[in-house]
Amino acid sequence: MSDFFMRCDTPHPQAFSMLDTGHVFLLLVSLLVLSLLLFWTAHAPKRTQRRLLYAAGVLVPLLELSHSVWMYLTGTTRLVQLLPLHLCGLQSLFIPLSIFTRFSVFKDFVFATSLLGGIFGTVLPAGVADYYPLFSFQTIQTIMLHGLLIYVPLAQILSGRHRPDLRRFHHVLCLFLAVVFVVGFIDFHFDQNYMFLFAPPEGTPLVWVFDAFGRQIYLLITFLLLSSASVAVHLPFCRRAALPVHSHQHN
C-alpha cells in the first residue's frame, strides 16, 4: 500500500505513458462512468439532481485538499507550493461557488474553464503520465478530480440549473484575467509556475511553441486557444435568430 501513495519526482519504471494502452483503458472506463452518471442525473428527480451536485460540490475541494495533504506528507512543506492555483485546482473554489450560490458568473466561469480543464487533464495528464503507474494515488486522484470537472458543468445544464449564454462571455474573461493577475503575482514573487504562466506543461505541443517563440508568444497563443475553445463550447447553446417572414400580396 505504501507504493500506492509514493511520490515520483523522476519517471517510474512502471509508469503509464500518454495514450498508451493503459491510459486509453483508463479513459474508456472514465468515459463510461461519466456517461452513466450524467444519464442518471438527466433522468433523476430534481431532489436527486440537487443532491448529486451538492455531493460533487463537496467532493471536488476534498479531492484537491487530499492532494495538498499528500504532497505535504511526501515532502512538500512550503505553503506556497501546496496552494490550488492551477486552473483545475482553482475549480475547488469556483465549483462550490457555482453550486451553492446563485451568481451566474460562477456557473459561466465553471462551464467555460472546468469542462475544458477536465478534458485536457484526463487526455493529457502532464506531470502524471510517464511518472506514475496507473494504480497510484496521484493517477486516481487526477482522474477523479478531472472527471468531476467535466461532470459538474454538464450536470448543471442537464438539471436546468444553468444555460450557457455567449452574451455573458465577457464576464468570464474578466474573471479569468483577474485570476491570472493574482496567480501571476504569486508565480513572480514566489518563483512558481501556477497556471503554467512561466513555462508550458510537459508533454504537450505548447512546449514546442514555448521553445520556438518564447514566453510572450506562448502565452498569447495559449490564451487565444483557450478563449476559442471556450467560445466553441458555447456555440451549441446559441439560439438561432428567427428568419424574418415576408408576406407577399398578389394583386
Side-chain angles (χ1 to χ4, degrees):
M1 183 58 70
S2 60
D3 290 343
F4 178 79
F5 291 102
M6 64 185 170
R7 175 81 170 268
C8 300
D9 295 320
T10 57
H12 190 276
Q14 297 179 350
F16 72 95
S17 299
M18 285 191 189
L19 300 180
D20 66 1
T21 303
H23 186 203
V24 170
F25 173 77
L26 196 60
L27 290 175
L28 292 175
V29 171
S30 302
L31 180 61
L32 176 61
V33 172
L34 183 60
S35 299
L36 292 174
L37 192 55
L38 288 171
F39 181 83
W40 180 21
T41 303
H43 294 85
K46 290 295 182 182
R47 186 177 181 180
T48 303
Q49 291 176 339
R50 185 168 61 252
R51 287 179 174 178
L52 287 169
L53 279 167
Y54 284 178
V58 173
L59 188 55
V60 167
L62 284 179
L63 280 170
E64 186 61 33
L65 177 61
S66 73
H67 186 258
S68 296
V69 171
W70 171 77
M71 289 181 63
Y72 179 82
L73 294 176
T74 54
T76 301
T77 56
R78 289 185 64 203
L79 176 62
V80 70
Q81 294 178 319
L82 299 173
L83 300 175
L85 294 182
H86 280 299
L87 189 56
C88 292
L90 284 164
Q91 304 303 334
S92 64
L93 170 65
F94 287 108
I95 280 180
L97 286 172
S98 75
I99 292 173
F100 297 111
T101 74
R102 296 181 179 274
F103 295 106
S104 62
V105 64
F106 296 131
K107 291 179 173 59
D108 290 333
F109 184 83
V110 165
F111 177 74
T113 60
S114 175
L115 182 61
L116 294 173
I119 293 172
F120 286 124
T122 51
V123 177
L124 301 172
V128 180
D130 299 322
Y131 283 85
Y132 290 89
L134 286 177
F135 186 70
S136 66
F137 171 81
Q138 175 73 322
T139 300
I140 293 176
Q141 187 271 348
T142 297
I143 294 298
M144 288 182 63
L145 176 65
H146 288 87
L148 284 172
L149 299 193
I150 300 171
Y151 168 76
V152 169
L154 295 179
Q156 294 208 88
I157 293 170
L158 291 173
S159 62
R161 295 168 62 94
H162 180 230
R163 181 176 178 83
D165 191 332
L166 199 54
R167 291 172 295 184
R168 298 194 302 265
F169 187 67
H170 61 287
H171 297 156
V172 174
L173 282 180
C174 290
L175 182 55
F176 178 78
L177 291 175
V179 169
V180 167
F181 177 81
V182 173
V183 174
F185 178 85
I186 293 173
D187 280 350
F188 180 78
H189 285 277
F190 295 97
D191 192 28
Q192 299 300 303
N193 188 35
Y194 286 118
M195 292 183 70
F196 303 108
L197 296 178
F198 281 79
E202 296 179 7
T204 66
L206 292 172
V207 174
W208 177 84
V209 175
F210 182 88
D211 292 339
F213 302 103
R215 186 156 63 92
Q216 286 81 5
I217 299 298
Y218 152 71
L219 289 175
L220 176 62
I221 291 177
T222 301
F223 176 76
L224 292 176
L225 287 174
L226 288 175
S227 298
S228 300
S230 295
V231 169
V233 297
H234 281 78
L235 295 182
F237 301 94
C238 291
R239 295 178 179 177
R240 295 182 179 180
L243 295 175
V245 178
H246 299 283
S247 61
H248 300 278
Q249 295 182 346
H250 298 278
N251 298 326

